[in-house]
Amino acid sequence: METIITVEKVTCGYGKRAVLEDVSLKIEERDFVLIIGPNGGGKSTLLKAILGIVVPWSGKITFADGIGNRLGYVPQSARFNRSFPISALDMVRTGCIQGNNYLRQTSRESIDRSREILRKLSLENKLHDNITDLSGGQLQRVLIARALVSDPAVLFLDEPTTALDIASQTDLIDILIGLREKMSIVVVTHDPTPYAHIYQRLACLNSRLYFHGRGELNSATLEKVYGCPVELLGHGIPHTLLPPHPEAHRQ
């Protein structure tokens, strides 16, 4: 597989506080990468650095030809301002706005494309509903549609299953299964279990990158990442279970 994004020894943060230190990562064509790690470990910051929202202090991020302007981003819906007065269709249409002329009205073609993507995500009956009136799962699909309307080569999702019930999580996984043959997918998550049967590579991040690959992830590596003992359980498919550890928290 061709490498389409290369993160090379990147260090960055906010103010004078470093959040990422010497992080290197490669994203391949039609890859499916999970990025796991504790809260505050830099998972979201890594996405923002790749997307150009956060500027690295050192190191570099490079893209294969034509990839740098084809990045789709789905932020955490739990942090999204749901009181903003906008319909589902208009929310998706914002994904068609170009940075060099954001005041220009979107074309008829982009409106039709927005409608078609919402239809594919089973939201054709919610086109004109205000996002305030959508369920958590429906809002997540709208945010995904907004990211897809610009035809990205790589789709980044930040904690997409947060606040979703089991049925909505299942719907999301089905959507990602349908997309993974068309684009690379990078998911930041604290719980890898829903993605156990579809992800290809895992990246363990806590300021530094401790593991990145397709091989077996052992408990010693996870203990370095999370700072406490972590139990790995397997039931026919590869997945990790990260239970609470009261003793470690008391320390």
Side-chain angles (χ1 to χ4, degrees), residues 22-234:
D22 199 32
V23 170
S24 296
L25 175 75
K26 291 183 178 180
I27 298 170
E28 300 176 351
E29 186 180 16
R30 292 190 295 279
D31 212 346
F32 196 121
V33 180
L34 288 187
I35 301 176
I36 68 170
N39 291 336
K43 301 187 300 297
S44 296
T45 300
L46 177 56
L47 291 197
K48 291 176 181 178
I50 296 172
L51 292 163
I53 300 170
V54 173
V55 179
W57 298 350
S58 62
K60 62 181 180 179
I61 299 172
T62 56
F63 303 89
D65 290 345
I67 298 298
N69 59 356
R70 295 186 60 202
L71 307 178
Y73 176 47
V74 182
Q76 294 185 34
S77 60
R79 297 182 180 178
F80 189 80
N81 181 9
R82 297 192 61 171
S83 64
F84 190 80
I86 189 171
S87 69
L89 177 60
D90 287 340
M91 170 64 74
V92 176
R93 288 174 60 193
T94 63
C96 301
I97 296 174
Q98 298 181 3
N100 58 358
N101 190 355
Y102 61 86
L103 294 178
R104 187 174 63 187
Q105 294 257 345
T106 53
S107 65
R108 182 75 239 177
E109 179 185 357
S110 65
I111 294 172
D112 291 343
R113 190 164 67 249
S114 299
R115 287 176 173 269
E116 176 62 15
I117 290 174
L118 284 169
R119 184 192 67 78
K120 289 181 178 179
L121 297 182
S122 302
L123 289 169
E124 63 271 20
N125 62 338
K126 299 292 182 180
L127 294 178
H128 304 293
D129 286 19
N130 193 289
I131 60 171
T132 306
D133 301 321
L134 301 178
S135 68
Q138 290 168 343
L139 176 59
Q140 189 64 271
R141 279 182 280 159
V142 168
L143 295 176
I144 292 172
R146 183 180 66 169
L148 294 178
V149 75
S150 59
D151 188 28
V154 187
L155 179 64
F156 297 89
L157 301 100
D158 194 351
E159 299 282 10
T161 58
T162 300
L164 295 187
D165 58 29
I166 296 300
S168 296
Q169 288 186 23
T170 301
D171 289 342
L172 172 64
I173 298 303
D174 288 342
I175 291 170
L176 296 182
I177 289 173
L179 294 173
R180 66 179 177 176
E181 295 301 320
K182 305 172 186 176
M183 64 189 69
S184 299
I185 298 174
V186 180
V187 176
V188 160
T189 182
H190 66 278
D191 179 13
T193 305
Y195 311 95
H197 61 294
I198 60 171
Y199 79 85
Q200 293 173 291
R201 293 190 294 158
L202 194 66
C204 300
L205 182 68
N206 187 359
S207 184
R208 294 180 178 273
L209 196 70
Y210 287 86
F211 177 88
H212 176 224
R214 293 185 172 89
E216 182 179 351
L217 180 61
N218 58 46
S219 57
T221 300
L222 284 174
E223 186 168 345
K224 288 181 182 178
V225 176
Y226 285 90
C228 66
V230 175
E231 183 180 1
L232 298 178
L233 299 179

